[in-house]
Every structure is written in structure tokens, then in C-alpha cells.
Coordinates of all heavy atoms in Angstrom, one line a residue:
A21 N 12.1 -9.1 8.4 CA 11.8 -8.4 7.2 C 10.4 -7.9 7.3 O 9.5 -8.4 8.0 CB 11.9 -9.4 6.0
D22 N 10.1 -6.8 6.6 CA 8.8 -6.2 6.6 C 7.9 -7.0 5.6 O 8.4 -7.6 4.7 CB 8.9 -4.7 6.1 CG 9.7 -3.9 7.0 OD1 9.9 -4.3 8.2 OD2 10.2 -2.9 6.5
I23 N 6.6 -6.9 5.8 CA 5.7 -7.6 4.9 C 4.6 -6.6 4.3 O 4.1 -5.8 5.1 CB 4.9 -8.7 5.6 CG1 5.9 -9.8 6.1 CG2 3.8 -9.3 4.7 CD1 5.3 -10.9 6.9
L24 N 4.4 -6.6 3.0 CA 3.4 -5.7 2.4 C 2.5 -6.6 1.6 O 2.9 -7.4 0.8 CB 4.1 -4.7 1.4 CG 3.2 -3.8 0.6 CD1 2.4 -2.9 1.5 CD2 4.0 -3.0 -0.4
V25 N 1.2 -6.5 1.9 CA 0.2 -7.4 1.3 C -0.9 -6.5 0.7 O -1.5 -5.6 1.4 CB -0.4 -8.4 2.3 CG1 -1.5 -9.2 1.7 CG2 0.6 -9.3 2.9
G26 N -1.3 -6.8 -0.5 CA -2.4 -6.1 -1.1 C -3.7 -6.9 -1.1 O -3.7 -8.1 -1.1
A27 N -4.8 -6.1 -0.9 CA -6.1 -6.8 -0.8 C -7.2 -6.0 -1.6 O -8.0 -5.2 -1.0 CB -6.6 -6.9 0.7
P28 N -7.1 -6.0 -3.0 CA -8.1 -5.3 -3.8 C -9.4 -5.9 -3.6 O -9.6 -7.1 -3.2 CB -7.5 -5.5 -5.2 CG -6.8 -6.8 -5.2 CD -6.2 -6.8 -3.8
G29 N -10.5 -5.1 -3.8 CA -11.8 -5.6 -3.7 C -12.8 -4.6 -3.2 O -12.7 -3.4 -3.5
S30 N -13.8 -5.1 -2.5 CA -14.8 -4.2 -2.0 C -14.3 -3.0 -1.2 O -13.2 -3.1 -0.6 CB -15.9 -5.0 -1.2 OG -15.3 -5.5 -0.1
S31 N -15.0 -2.0 -1.1 CA -14.7 -0.8 -0.3 C -13.4 -0.1 -0.8 O -12.7 0.5 0.0 CB -14.6 -1.1 1.2 OG -15.8 -1.6 1.6
G32 N -13.0 -0.3 -2.1 CA -11.9 0.4 -2.6 C -10.6 -0.4 -2.5 O -9.6 0.0 -3.1
G33 N -10.5 -1.5 -1.7 CA -9.3 -2.2 -1.6 C -8.4 -1.6 -0.6 O -8.6 -0.4 -0.1
Y34 N -7.3 -2.3 -0.3 CA -6.3 -1.7 0.7 C -5.0 -2.5 0.6 O -5.0 -3.6 0.0 CB -6.9 -1.7 2.1 CG -7.3 -3.1 2.6 CD1 -6.4 -3.9 3.4 CD2 -8.6 -3.5 2.4 CE1 -6.8 -5.1 3.8 CE2 -9.0 -4.8 2.9 CZ -8.1 -5.5 3.6 OH -8.5 -6.8 4.1
A35 N -4.0 -2.0 1.2 CA -2.8 -2.7 1.3 C -2.3 -2.6 2.8 O -2.6 -1.6 3.5 CB -1.7 -2.1 0.4
V36 N -1.7 -3.6 3.3 CA -1.3 -3.7 4.7 C 0.2 -3.8 4.8 O 0.8 -4.7 4.1 CB -2.0 -4.9 5.4 CG1 -1.6 -5.0 6.8 CG2 -3.5 -4.8 5.3
L37 N 0.8 -3.0 5.6 CA 2.2 -3.1 5.9 C 2.5 -3.4 7.3 O 1.9 -2.8 8.2 CB 2.9 -1.7 5.6 CG 4.4 -1.6 5.9 CD1 5.2 -2.5 5.0 CD2 4.8 -0.2 5.8
Q38 N 3.3 -4.4 7.5 CA 3.7 -4.8 8.9 C 5.2 -4.8 8.9 O 5.9 -5.5 8.2 CB 3.2 -6.2 9.2 CG 3.6 -6.7 10.6 CD 3.0 -5.8 11.7 OE1 1.9 -5.5 11.7 NE2 3.9 -5.4 12.6
Y39 N 5.7 -3.9 9.8 CA 7.2 -3.8 10.0 C 7.7 -5.1 10.7 O 7.0 -5.6 11.6 CB 7.6 -2.6 10.8 CG 7.3 -1.3 10.1 CD1 6.4 -0.4 10.7 CD2 7.9 -1.0 8.9 CE1 6.2 0.8 10.0 CE2 7.7 0.2 8.3 CZ 6.8 1.1 8.8 OH 6.5 2.3 8.2
G40 N 8.8 -5.6 10.3 CA 9.4 -6.9 10.8 C 10.2 -6.6 12.1 O 10.4 -5.5 12.5
P41 N 10.6 -7.6 12.7 CA 10.4 -9.0 12.2 C 9.0 -9.5 12.5 O 8.4 -9.0 13.5 CB 11.5 -9.8 13.1 CG 11.7 -9.0 14.3 CD 11.5 -7.6 13.9
V42 N 8.5 -10.4 11.7 CA 7.2 -10.9 11.8 C 7.3 -12.4 11.9 O 8.0 -13.1 11.2 CB 6.3 -10.6 10.6 CG1 4.9 -11.2 10.7 CG2 6.2 -9.0 10.4
S43 N 6.5 -13.0 12.9 CA 6.4 -14.4 13.0 C 5.0 -14.8 13.5 O 4.4 -14.1 14.2 CB 7.5 -15.0 14.0 OG 7.2 -14.5 15.3
G44 N 4.5 -15.9 13.0 CA 3.2 -16.4 13.4 C 2.1 -15.6 12.7 O 2.3 -14.8 11.8
A45 N 0.9 -15.7 13.3 CA -0.3 -15.0 12.8 C -0.4 -13.6 13.4 O 0.1 -13.4 14.5 CB -1.6 -15.8 13.1
M46 N -1.1 -12.8 12.7 CA -1.3 -11.4 13.2 C -2.7 -11.0 12.8 O -3.3 -11.4 11.8 CB -0.3 -10.4 12.8 CG -0.3 -10.2 11.3 SD 0.8 -8.8 10.7 CE -0.4 -7.5 10.9
D47 N -3.3 -10.0 13.6 CA -4.6 -9.5 13.3 C -4.4 -8.2 12.4 O -3.4 -7.5 12.7 CB -5.4 -9.1 14.5 CG -5.8 -10.3 15.3 OD1 -6.2 -11.3 14.7 OD2 -5.9 -10.2 16.5
L48 N -5.3 -8.0 11.5 CA -5.2 -6.8 10.7 C -5.2 -5.5 11.5 O -4.4 -4.6 11.2 CB -6.4 -6.7 9.7 CG -6.5 -5.6 8.7 CD1 -5.3 -5.6 7.8 CD2 -7.8 -5.6 8.0
E49 N -5.9 -5.5 12.6 CA -5.9 -4.3 13.5 C -4.5 -4.0 14.1 O -4.3 -2.9 14.5 CB -6.9 -4.5 14.6 CG -8.3 -4.6 14.2 CD -8.7 -6.0 13.7 OE1 -8.0 -7.0 14.2 OE2 -9.6 -6.2 12.9
D50 N -3.6 -4.9 14.1 CA -2.3 -4.8 14.6 C -1.3 -4.3 13.6 O -0.1 -4.2 13.9 CB -1.8 -6.0 15.3 CG -2.7 -6.4 16.5 OD1 -3.3 -5.5 17.1 OD2 -2.8 -7.6 16.8
A51 N -1.7 -4.1 12.3 CA -0.7 -3.8 11.3 C -0.1 -2.4 11.5 O -0.7 -1.5 12.2 CB -1.5 -3.7 9.9
S52 N 1.1 -2.3 11.1 CA 1.8 -1.0 11.2 C 1.2 0.1 10.4 O 1.1 1.3 10.9 CB 3.3 -1.2 10.7 OG 4.0 -2.2 11.5
L53 N 0.6 -0.2 9.2 CA 0.0 0.8 8.4 C -1.0 0.1 7.4 O -0.7 -1.0 6.9 CB 1.1 1.5 7.5 CG 0.7 2.5 6.5 CD1 0.1 3.8 7.3 CD2 1.9 3.0 5.7
I54 N -2.2 0.7 7.3 CA -3.2 0.3 6.3 C -3.5 1.4 5.4 O -3.8 2.5 5.8 CB -4.5 -0.2 7.0 CG1 -4.2 -1.3 8.0 CG2 -5.5 -0.6 6.0 CD1 -5.4 -1.8 8.8
I55 N -3.3 1.2 4.1 CA -3.5 2.2 3.0 C -4.8 1.8 2.3 O -4.8 0.7 1.7 CB -2.3 2.3 2.1 CG1 -1.1 2.6 2.8 CG2 -2.6 3.3 0.9 CD1 -0.1 1.5 3.1
S56 N -5.8 2.6 2.3 CA -7.1 2.3 1.8 C -7.4 3.1 0.5 O -6.9 4.2 0.4 CB -8.2 2.6 2.8 OG -8.1 1.8 3.9
G57 N -8.2 2.5 -0.4 CA -8.6 3.3 -1.6 C -9.6 4.4 -1.2 O -10.3 4.2 -0.2
D58 N -9.7 5.4 -2.0 CA -10.6 6.5 -1.8 C -12.0 6.2 -2.2 O -13.0 6.6 -1.6 CB -10.1 7.8 -2.5 CG -8.9 8.4 -1.9 OD1 -8.7 8.3 -0.7 OD2 -8.1 9.1 -2.6
N59 N -12.1 5.4 -3.3 CA -13.4 5.1 -3.9 C -13.7 3.6 -3.9 O -12.7 2.8 -3.9 CB -13.5 5.7 -5.3 CG -13.3 7.2 -5.4 OD1 -14.1 7.9 -4.8 ND2 -12.3 7.6 -6.0
A60 N -14.9 3.2 -3.9 CA -15.3 1.8 -3.8 C -14.7 1.0 -5.0 O -14.5 -0.2 -4.8 CB -16.8 1.7 -3.7
S61 N -14.4 1.6 -6.1 CA -14.0 0.9 -7.3 C -12.5 1.0 -7.5 O -11.9 0.5 -8.5 CB -14.7 1.3 -8.5 OG -14.4 2.7 -8.7
D62 N -11.7 1.6 -6.6 CA -10.3 1.9 -6.8 C -9.4 0.6 -7.0 O -8.4 0.6 -7.7 CB -9.7 2.7 -5.7 CG -10.0 4.2 -5.8 OD1 -10.7 4.6 -6.8 OD2 -9.7 4.9 -4.8
E63 N -9.7 -0.4 -6.3 CA -9.0 -1.7 -6.3 C -7.5 -1.4 -5.8 O -6.6 -2.0 -6.3 CB -9.0 -2.4 -7.6 CG -10.4 -2.8 -8.0 CD -10.4 -3.6 -9.3 OE1 -9.7 -4.6 -9.3 OE2 -11.2 -3.2 -10.2
T64 N -7.4 -0.5 -4.8 CA -6.1 -0.3 -4.2 C -5.5 -1.6 -3.6 O -6.3 -2.4 -3.1 CB -6.2 0.7 -3.1 OG1 -6.7 2.0 -3.7 CG2 -4.9 1.0 -2.4
G65 N -4.3 -1.9 -3.9 CA -3.6 -3.1 -3.4 C -3.6 -4.1 -4.5 O -3.1 -5.3 -4.3
D66 N -4.1 -3.8 -5.7 CA -4.1 -4.7 -6.8 C -2.7 -5.2 -7.1 O -2.5 -6.3 -7.6 CB -4.8 -4.1 -8.0 CG -4.8 -5.0 -9.2 OD1 -5.3 -6.1 -9.1 OD2 -4.3 -4.6 -10.3
A67 N -1.7 -4.3 -6.9 CA -0.3 -4.6 -7.2 C 0.5 -3.9 -6.0 O 0.2 -2.8 -5.6 CB 0.1 -4.0 -8.5
T68 N 1.4 -4.7 -5.5 CA 2.3 -4.1 -4.5 C 3.7 -4.6 -4.8 O 3.9 -5.7 -5.3 CB 2.0 -4.7 -3.1 OG1 2.1 -6.1 -3.0 CG2 0.6 -4.2 -2.6
A69 N 4.7 -3.8 -4.6 CA 6.1 -4.1 -4.9 C 7.1 -3.3 -4.2 O 6.8 -2.1 -3.8 CB 6.3 -4.0 -6.4
S70 N 8.3 -3.8 -4.1 CA 9.4 -3.0 -3.6 C 9.8 -2.1 -4.7 O 9.8 -2.4 -5.9 CB 10.6 -3.9 -3.3 OG 11.8 -3.2 -3.1
A71 N 10.1 -0.8 -4.4 CA 10.5 0.2 -5.3 C 12.0 0.5 -5.3 O 12.5 1.4 -5.9 CB 9.7 1.4 -5.1
G72 N 12.8 -0.3 -4.5 CA 14.2 0.0 -4.3 C 14.3 1.1 -3.3 O 13.5 1.4 -2.5
D73 N 15.4 1.8 -3.4 CA 15.7 3.0 -2.6 C 15.6 4.3 -3.4 O 16.6 4.8 -3.8 CB 17.0 2.9 -1.9 CG 17.3 4.0 -0.9 OD1 16.4 4.7 -0.6 OD2 18.5 4.1 -0.5
I74 N 14.3 4.7 -3.7 CA 14.1 5.9 -4.5 C 14.7 7.1 -4.0 O 15.3 7.9 -4.8 CB 12.6 6.1 -4.7 CG1 11.9 4.9 -5.4 CG2 12.3 7.3 -5.5 CD1 12.3 4.6 -6.8
N75 N 14.6 7.4 -2.7 CA 15.1 8.7 -2.2 C 16.5 8.6 -1.6 O 17.0 9.6 -1.1 CB 14.2 9.2 -1.1 CG 14.0 8.3 0.0 OD1 14.4 7.2 0.0 ND2 13.3 8.8 1.0
G76 N 17.2 7.5 -1.8 CA 18.6 7.4 -1.4 C 18.9 7.5 0.0 O 20.1 7.8 0.4
D77 N 18.0 7.1 0.9 CA 18.2 7.2 2.4 C 18.7 5.8 2.9 O 18.8 5.7 4.1 CB 17.0 7.7 3.1 CG 15.8 6.7 3.0 OD1 15.9 5.7 2.3 OD2 14.8 7.0 3.7
G78 N 18.9 4.8 2.1 CA 19.3 3.5 2.5 C 18.2 2.6 3.0 O 18.5 1.5 3.5
V79 N 17.0 3.0 2.9 CA 15.8 2.2 3.3 C 15.0 1.9 2.1 O 14.7 2.8 1.3 CB 15.0 3.0 4.4 CG1 13.8 2.1 4.8 CG2 15.8 3.3 5.6
T80 N 14.5 0.6 1.9 CA 13.7 0.2 0.8 C 12.4 0.9 0.8 O 11.7 1.0 1.9 CB 13.5 -1.3 0.8 OG1 14.8 -1.9 0.7 CG2 12.7 -1.7 -0.4
D81 N 11.9 1.5 -0.3 CA 10.7 2.1 -0.5 C 9.7 1.1 -1.2 O 10.1 0.1 -1.7 CB 10.8 3.4 -1.3 CG 11.9 4.3 -0.7 OD1 11.9 4.5 0.5 OD2 12.7 4.8 -1.5
F82 N 8.4 1.4 -1.2 CA 7.5 0.5 -1.8 C 6.4 1.3 -2.6 O 6.2 2.5 -2.4 CB 6.9 -0.5 -0.8 CG 6.1 0.2 0.3 CD1 4.7 0.3 0.2 CD2 6.7 0.6 1.5 CE1 4.0 0.9 1.2 CE2 6.0 1.2 2.5 CZ 4.6 1.3 2.4
I83 N 5.8 0.6 -3.5 CA 4.7 1.1 -4.4 C 3.5 0.3 -4.3 O 3.6 -1.0 -4.2 CB 5.3 1.3 -5.8 CG1 4.4 2.1 -6.6 CG2 5.6 -0.1 -6.4 CD1 5.0 2.6 -7.9
I84 N 2.3 0.9 -4.3 CA 1.0 0.3 -4.3 C 0.2 0.7 -5.5 O 0.1 1.9 -5.7 CB 0.3 0.6 -3.0 CG1 1.1 0.1 -1.8 CG2 -1.1 0.0 -3.0 CD1 0.5 0.5 -0.5
G85 N -0.4 -0.2 -6.2 CA -1.2 0.2 -7.4 C -2.6 0.0 -7.1 O -3.1 -0.9 -6.3
G86 N -3.4 0.8 -7.8 CA -4.9 0.7 -7.8 C -5.3 0.8 -9.2 O -5.4 2.0 -9.7
R87 N -5.6 -0.3 -9.9 CA -5.8 -0.3 -11.3 C -7.0 0.5 -11.7 O -7.1 0.9 -12.9 CB -5.9 -1.7 -11.8 CG -7.1 -2.4 -11.4 CD -7.1 -3.8 -12.1 NE -8.1 -4.6 -11.5 CZ -8.2 -5.9 -11.7 NH1 -7.4 -6.5 -12.6 NH2 -9.1 -6.6 -11.1
S88 N -8.0 0.8 -10.9 CA -9.2 1.6 -11.2 C -9.3 2.9 -10.5 O -10.4 3.5 -10.4 CB -10.4 0.7 -11.0 OG -10.4 -0.4 -11.9
A89 N -8.2 3.4 -9.9 CA -8.3 4.6 -9.1 C -8.6 5.8 -10.1 O -8.2 5.8 -11.2 CB -6.9 4.9 -8.5
E90 N -9.4 6.7 -9.6 CA -9.9 7.8 -10.4 C -8.9 8.9 -10.4 O -8.3 9.3 -9.4 CB -11.2 8.3 -9.9 CG -12.3 7.3 -10.1 CD -13.7 7.8 -9.6 OE1 -13.8 9.0 -9.2 OE2 -14.6 7.0 -9.6
N91 N -8.7 9.6 -11.6 CA -7.9 10.8 -11.7 C -8.8 12.0 -11.4 O -10.0 11.9 -11.1 CB -7.2 10.9 -13.1 CG -8.2 11.0 -14.2 OD1 -9.4 11.4 -14.1 ND2 -7.8 10.7 -15.4
T92 N -8.3 13.2 -11.6 CA -9.0 14.4 -11.2 C -10.2 14.6 -12.1 O -11.1 15.4 -11.7 CB -8.1 15.6 -11.3 OG1 -7.5 15.7 -12.6 CG2 -7.0 15.5 -10.2
D93 N -10.3 14.0 -13.3 CA -11.4 14.1 -14.2 C -12.5 13.1 -13.9 O -13.5 13.0 -14.6 CB -11.0 14.0 -15.7 CG -10.1 15.1 -16.1 OD1 -10.3 16.2 -15.6 OD2 -9.2 14.9 -17.0
G94 N -12.2 12.2 -12.9 CA -13.2 11.2 -12.6 C -13.0 9.9 -13.4 O -13.8 9.0 -13.3
D95 N -12.0 9.8 -14.3 CA -11.8 8.7 -15.1 C -11.1 7.6 -14.3 O -10.1 7.9 -13.5 CB -10.9 9.0 -16.3 CG -11.6 10.0 -17.3 OD1 -12.9 9.9 -17.4 OD2 -10.9 10.8 -17.9
A96 N -11.5 6.3 -14.4 CA -10.8 5.2 -13.7 C -9.6 4.8 -14.4 O -9.6 3.7 -15.0 CB -11.8 4.1 -13.5
S97 N -8.6 5.6 -14.5 CA -7.4 5.3 -15.3 C -6.3 4.6 -14.5 O -5.3 4.2 -15.0 CB -6.8 6.6 -15.9 OG -6.6 7.6 -14.8
G98 N -6.5 4.4 -13.2 CA -5.5 3.8 -12.3 C -4.6 4.7 -11.7 O -4.5 5.9 -12.1
G99 N -3.9 4.2 -10.7 CA -2.9 5.1 -10.0 C -1.9 4.2 -9.3 O -2.0 3.0 -9.1
A100 N -0.7 4.8 -9.0 CA 0.3 4.2 -8.3 C 0.8 5.1 -7.2 O 0.9 6.3 -7.4 CB 1.5 3.9 -9.2
Y101 N 1.0 4.6 -6.0 CA 1.3 5.4 -4.9 C 2.7 5.0 -4.3 O 2.8 3.8 -4.0 CB 0.2 5.3 -3.8 CG -1.2 5.5 -4.4 CD1 -1.9 4.4 -4.8 CD2 -1.6 6.7 -4.7 CE1 -3.2 4.5 -5.4 CE2 -2.9 6.9 -5.2 CZ -3.6 5.8 -5.6 OH -4.9 6.0 -6.2
L102 N 3.6 5.9 -4.2 CA 4.9 5.6 -3.7 C 5.0 6.0 -2.2 O 4.7 7.1 -1.9 CB 6.0 6.4 -4.5 CG 7.4 6.3 -4.1 CD1 7.9 4.8 -4.3 CD2 8.3 7.2 -4.9
F103 N 5.5 5.1 -1.4 CA 5.7 5.3 0.0 C 7.2 5.1 0.3 O 7.8 4.1 0.0 CB 4.9 4.4 0.8 CG 3.4 4.6 0.7 CD1 2.7 4.1 -0.3 CD2 2.8 5.5 1.6 CE1 1.3 4.3 -0.5 CE2 1.4 5.7 1.5 CZ 0.7 5.1 0.4
F104 N 7.8 6.1 1.0 CA 9.2 6.0 1.4 C 9.3 5.1 2.7 O 8.5 5.3 3.6 CB 9.8 7.4 1.6 CG 9.8 8.2 0.4 CD1 9.1 9.4 0.3 CD2 10.5 7.8 -0.7 CE1 9.2 10.2 -0.8 CE2 10.6 8.5 -1.9 CZ 9.9 9.7 -1.9
G105 N 10.2 4.2 2.7 CA 10.4 3.3 3.8 C 11.0 4.0 5.0 O 11.3 5.2 5.0
G106 N 11.1 3.3 6.1 CA 11.6 3.9 7.4 C 10.6 4.6 8.2 O 11.0 5.5 8.9
G107 N 9.4 4.3 8.1 CA 8.3 5.0 8.8 C 8.2 4.8 10.2 O 7.3 5.4 10.9
Q108 N 9.0 3.9 10.8 CA 8.8 3.5 12.2 C 9.2 4.7 13.0 O 10.0 5.1 13.5 CB 9.6 2.3 12.6 CG 8.9 1.1 12.1 CD 9.6 -0.2 12.6 OE1 10.8 -0.2 12.9 NE2 8.8 -1.2 12.8

């Protein structure tokens, strides 16, 4: 199974995706994908979840939240980012 872990905090936060199968320990540098926040206060990775199969391709998609991500007006209103699965 794939693993998605959020790590909100300094430097905008991030989320890490590791395609499975996964066993034992791994280094962050070896992750399949790292999604980082654009701004130091974004808190990207504050929420991570399966989104089901949004695009109907038979592969589970996922969503990453950043509760303080800035919109185009510069307001920290938060954001959600949808990623389609099957990126290998």
C-alpha cells in the first residue's frame, strides 16, 4: 500500500508520498514525491486524506490541505490540493 504523511510546520510544511509496498524505515530523500508549501506560513500537510477515485481511472487519488495557504489576494484562507493517483 502507498503511504501519505503530512508534516505541517516551518518552511511552509510538506507532505510525503511513498509508493508501496513499504516495509521498515525509509529516508525522506527516498520518497516518491514531496509536496511543499509555497510560503513559510502555509502549513501544507496539515491534513491528508484519500479522495477516492475522482477521475474514474481505477486508481485512488489523494488530497492535501494547507490551512493557512494564501489565495491570490494574499489572504491566508487555506487551500486544498488534489493529486491524481497512478503517478509511477
